[in-house]
Amino acid sequence: MADKVTIATVARHARVSRQTVSNVLNAPHIVREETRQRVQEAIATLGYRANQAARQMRTGRSRLIAARIEPTRDGINGSVLDRFLHGLTETADAAGYRVMLYTATDDGQEIATYDDLLGAYELDGFVLTGTDHGDPRTAWLADRSVPFVTFGRPWDAPESHPWVDVDGAAGTAQATSRLLANGHRRIAFLGWPEGSGVGDDRRAGWRTTLTAAGLDPDGLHRETEDGVADGERSMRELLATPEPPTGVVCASDSLALGALQAVRAVAAETAVIGFDDTPVAAAVGLTSVSQPLAVAAARCVELLTGVLDGHPTDPQVLLQPALVLRHTA
Amino acid sequence: MADKVTIATVARHARVSRQTVSNVLNAPHIVREETRQRVQEAIATLGYRANQAARQMRTGRSRLIAARIEPTRDGINGSVLDRFLHGLTETADAAGYRVMLYTATDDGQEIATYDDLLGAYELDGFVLTGTDHGDPRTAWLADRSVPFVTFGRPWDAPESHPWVDVDGAAGTAQATSRLLANGHRRIAFLGWPEGSGVGDDRRAGWRTTLTAAGLDPDGLHRETEDGVADGERSMRELLATPEPPTGVVCASDSLALGALQAVRAVAAETAVIGFDDTPVAAAVGLTSVSQPLAVAAARCVELLTGVLDGHPTDPQVLLQPALVLRHTA
DNA sequence: TTGTAGGCGTTATCAT
DNA sequence: ATGATAACGCCTACAA
């Protein structure tokens, strides 16, 4: 490794004081143009980079944000997080921040990790994913006034902290409308047990759309855990009813894939729409609701850096999903 | 936020000097047991955490390693990286390191990022994925003696740097053997154009196994880009030959999924085996070769921290994949 | 507009 | 075995 280039090296090279170099970096407007040029040149030729550790010691800011990486549970929906993280890293980078990863198996452990991360690395902020009712993590962070954003609404208290989310109800409403437009009248919904914010939201979009069309949603929905097998089982049940649905909207691509298998097993023609537009959906030709993940990630970074850099933006962002049409509906 | 707890706070609380606290942390053996206990207690009650920035300034080490997150290209194979990153984060954590993310669109840009990261954050090391023949990135890092490990062999010079890889040839050999054991004699291979280390390796496993069984592999393989549509097209070609294969081994789950669709389209019974055991494979019941990604990640961290902490281990690790049997073979 | 002095929290060196 | 002192690179007063 070459000799370390510090602010002093640059100062010597540009024949100015260290302070002037620092000013060029942090307050360019107070430096005379000619001097600024000379310093910039020196910086470029020497390949100087401000040492973050030293800067952090002085300013207390690390320009680091943390995000959790989860153990691809079901696998199919895991790719959502993957794409979100990628977007996060790109946008953070552009804003001069870096993303640090951590894992946690439960909320308690995750909070302990916050403590660690904050103490050791003085992280500037957190991006949380998968929040739910009464999330202890947000309370902990808020108590200590640690800046954070969640990707996902706080279902209890919508205005309690900055968040970015995708309008799931609008997504399932779009899906349901699509089926209605195609002439379907008996449209079912496959989702998760009542009580999860995300799941209830997605079901609501389907329900209100059906109701608005003068149709009765009763008996046309099934609730299970998220999984291909669960989706298949539920769909079989629906297909076995006296008046089986001719179309089904699902809360996830996993459920949709299961539904699709059930449909094909009995050689039915039932239309199927999934949620998340995962690679699996693309691969099997499944019509699915797509979340704008890159945009969501970018908004998260904007919100966070806005707070950090003192130019806060509108703290709640609800993005609209889009229906990606393929072969199944 | 509560008052910052520094080494001085702990020292005062335990009625020792700052240096003694530091010694308890970094060289416990030279501190008298009784003193050590008292200091440990103070650390615990105060919730003290060594400030990494300050430590880094002094030692020049950040306890940070970097890994790239890629834009889920095909999507199906993207989950491989996802699972690898998760493993990386977990193992690094256990070893006292943190993972920092970066993105890059090409090798040149990635190298520029190394420069940034090294200059600004003094990263301790890198974990590279997806290396190929004559990779400029490894050369750059080696030139500057930056510690790094690759997940993937340097196909040119196997001993040039530490790496961890999965034996792809062994994987396709297993797959081929499985088909042979099931009585298949015409076993095809769907892979990528010659020239990629990984692709050639996987094809070699199939070829040698067939040859060893006294069978002729000629004309039974197709090379395309990686994608579901490509796999389907190639498989259609093979199925249209006078003596179509009764089984096919694929270099990826994407190709295998395409192959499966081609097979089903003509209502053939051809056995299909994929590679990577992605969630898609699990979802559609595709038999696939599974890479031990968590283990690979753990080995990468071991290799890297071994070098960093001065107890280097065997620098080349080749792991064995396993065949996951499902419905398609 | 530019230069000087001090300190952020830690650890290495040296002295006790 | 323990303590004092200096230094890592930077930034923020303040002085010139």
Side-chain angles (χ1 to χ4, degrees):
Chain A
M1 238 182 297
D3 272 350
K4 200 164 288 185
V5 179
T6 78
I7 219 171
T9 325
V10 177
R12 224 175 302 128
H13 194 273
R15 301 186 313 282
V16 296
S17 73
R18 289 178 308 170
Q19 180 52 30
T20 301
V21 179
S22 176
N23 284 338
V24 169
L25 261 37
N26 303 299
H29 53 280
I30 70 165
V31 181
R32 200 201 315 157
E33 179 60 17
E34 182 200 310
T35 317
R36 204 186 57 72
Q37 293 264 340
R38 207 167 66 237
V39 173
Q40 287 289 13
E41 271 179 41
I43 288 178
T45 53
L46 294 170
Y48 166 78
R49 255 133 192 126
N51 180 308
Q52 281 299 330
R55 172 175 285 180
Q56 177 183 343
M57 278 243 287
R58 198 68 186 77
T59 63
R61 303 256 323 260
S62 61
R63 303 201 76 82
L64 245 34
I65 63 185
R68 186 176 73 179
I69 182 165
E70 296 173 60
T72 314
R73 281 161 302 174
D74 156 281
I76 294 184
N77 296 313
S79 82
V80 171
L81 179 69
D82 194 19
R83 288 180 283 166
F84 179 75
L85 277 182
H86 184 82
L88 210 58
T89 307
E90 275 197 333
T91 330
D93 193 357
Y97 287 81
R98 291 278 163 195
V99 175
M100 185 181 281
L101 248 32
Y102 68 90
T103 56
T105 48
D106 59 67
D107 286 342
Q109 208 208 305
E110 181 157 354
I111 287 174
T113 306
Y114 295 162
D115 215 4
D116 258 6
L117 252 22
L118 252 16
Y121 289 94
E122 302 184 72
L123 286 170
D124 286 347
F126 289 81
V127 176
L128 309 198
T129 52
T131 56
D132 215 323
H133 293 291
D135 201 309
R137 303 173 301 159
T138 54
W140 192 94
L141 291 171
D143 271 359
R144 288 157 185 76
S145 24
V146 176
F148 70 97
V149 191
T150 65
F151 177 37
R153 272 162 280 182
W155 299 94
D156 306 319
E159 313 241 310
S160 54
H161 61 70
W163 54 259
V164 174
D165 203 356
V166 174
D167 192 340
T172 47
Q174 268 188 67
T176 309
S177 298
R178 162 79 183 175
L179 294 178
L180 286 170
N182 283 357
H184 293 273
R185 312 306 288 168
R186 288 197 307 283
I187 301 170
F189 179 82
L190 252 46
W192 310 312
E194 208 139 327
S196 87
V198 178
D200 295 351
D201 189 41
R202 294 186 185 175
R203 180 168 40 241
W206 159 80
R207 184 189 292 277
T208 56
T209 308
L210 269 200
T211 309
L215 298 168
D216 181 9
D218 280 359
L220 276 172
H221 57 104
R222 289 291 182 280
E223 278 70 34
T224 65
E225 292 305 296
D226 193 50
V228 178
D230 302 285
E232 181 164 3
R233 197 173 327 113
S234 300
M235 194 63 201
R236 278 183 195 279
E237 281 178 33
L238 287 167
L239 291 172
T241 54
E243 291 204 316
T246 63
V248 61
V249 174
C250 305
S252 76
D253 278 357
S254 308
L255 291 173
L257 194 64
L260 200 58
Q261 289 174 1
V263 166
R264 289 186 177 161
V266 299
E269 298 262 302
T270 321
V272 179
I273 299 184
F275 207 111
D276 275 347
D277 188 29
T278 57
V280 184
V284 305
L286 175 69
T287 291
S288 186
V289 177
S290 168
Q291 304 198 44
L293 293 173
V295 177
R299 289 283 179 285
C300 283
V301 173
E302 273 171 32
L303 251 51
L304 203 50
T305 57
V307 174
L308 294 173
D309 300 339
H311 47 80
T313 53
D314 205 356
Q316 274 90 35
V317 179
L318 190 60
L319 301 169
Q320 292 306 310
L323 191 61
V324 178
L325 299 177
R326 296 209 179 80
H327 309 312
T328 62
Chain B
M1 240 182 296
D3 272 350
K4 201 164 289 183
V5 179
T6 78
I7 219 171
T9 325
V10 177
R12 223 174 303 128
H13 195 273
R15 301 186 313 280
V16 295
S17 72
R18 289 178 307 171
Q19 183 51 32
T20 300
V21 178
S22 175
N23 284 337
V24 169
L25 262 37
N26 304 297
H29 53 280
I30 70 165
V31 181
R32 201 202 317 158
E33 179 60 16
E34 182 200 309
T35 317
R36 204 185 57 71
Q37 292 264 339
R38 206 167 67 237
V39 173
Q40 287 290 15
E41 271 178 40
I43 289 178
T45 52
L46 294 170
Y48 166 78
R49 257 140 189 118
N51 180 311
Q52 280 299 329
R55 171 174 285 178
Q56 178 182 341
M57 276 243 288
R58 197 65 185 90
T59 62
R61 303 256 323 261
S62 61
R63 302 200 77 83
L64 245 33
I65 63 184
R68 187 177 71 180
I69 182 164
E70 296 174 59
T72 315
R73 283 161 301 176
D74 155 281
I76 293 185
N77 297 313
S79 81
V80 171
L81 178 70
D82 194 20
R83 287 180 284 166
F84 180 74
L85 276 182
H86 185 82
L88 210 58
T89 306
E90 274 197 333
T91 331
D93 194 357
Y97 287 80
R98 291 277 163 194
V99 175
M100 185 180 281
L101 248 32
Y102 67 92
T103 55
T105 49
D106 59 68
D107 287 342
Q109 208 208 306
E110 181 157 356
I111 287 174
T113 305
Y114 295 163
D115 216 3
D116 259 6
L117 253 21
L118 253 15
Y121 290 94
E122 302 182 74
L123 286 167
D124 286 347
F126 289 81
V127 176
L128 308 197
T129 52
T131 56
D132 214 323
H133 294 290
D135 200 309
R137 303 173 300 159
T138 54
W140 193 93
L141 291 171
D143 271 0
R144 288 157 184 75
S145 24
V146 177
F148 71 96
V149 191
T150 65
F151 177 37
R153 272 161 283 183
W155 299 93
D156 306 319
E159 314 241 310
S160 53
H161 60 71
W163 54 260
V164 174
D165 204 357
V166 175
D167 192 340
T172 46
Q174 269 187 67
T176 310
S177 297
R178 161 80 183 176
L179 295 178
L180 286 171
N182 284 357
H184 293 274
R185 314 305 289 166
R186 291 197 306 282
I187 301 171
F189 180 83
L190 252 46
W192 310 313
E194 208 140 327
S196 86
V198 178
D200 296 349
D201 188 41
R202 294 186 184 176
R203 181 169 39 242
W206 160 80
R207 185 188 291 278
T208 55
T209 308
L210 269 200
T211 310
L215 298 168
D216 182 8
D218 279 1
L220 275 173
H221 57 103
R222 289 293 182 280
E223 276 71 33
T224 65
E225 292 305 296
D226 193 51
V228 178
D230 302 284
E232 180 164 4
R233 197 175 325 113
S234 300
M235 194 62 200
R236 278 182 194 279
E237 281 178 33
L238 287 167
L239 291 172
T241 55
E243 291 204 316
T246 63
V248 60
V249 174
C250 304
S252 75
D253 278 356
S254 307
L255 291 174
L257 194 64
L260 201 57
Q261 289 174 1
V263 166
R264 290 185 176 161
V266 300
E269 298 263 302
T270 321
V272 179
I273 299 184
F275 207 111
D276 274 348
D277 188 29
T278 56
V280 185
V284 304
L286 176 69
T287 291
S288 186
V289 177
S290 168
Q291 303 199 43
L293 293 173
V295 177
R299 290 280 180 284
C300 283
V301 173
E302 273 170 33
L303 251 50
L304 202 50
T305 57
V307 173
L308 294 173
D309 301 338
H311 46 82
T313 52
D314 204 357
Q316 274 90 33
V317 178
L318 191 60
L319 300 169
Q320 292 305 310
L323 192 61
V324 177
L325 300 178
R326 296 208 178 82
H327 309 313
T328 62

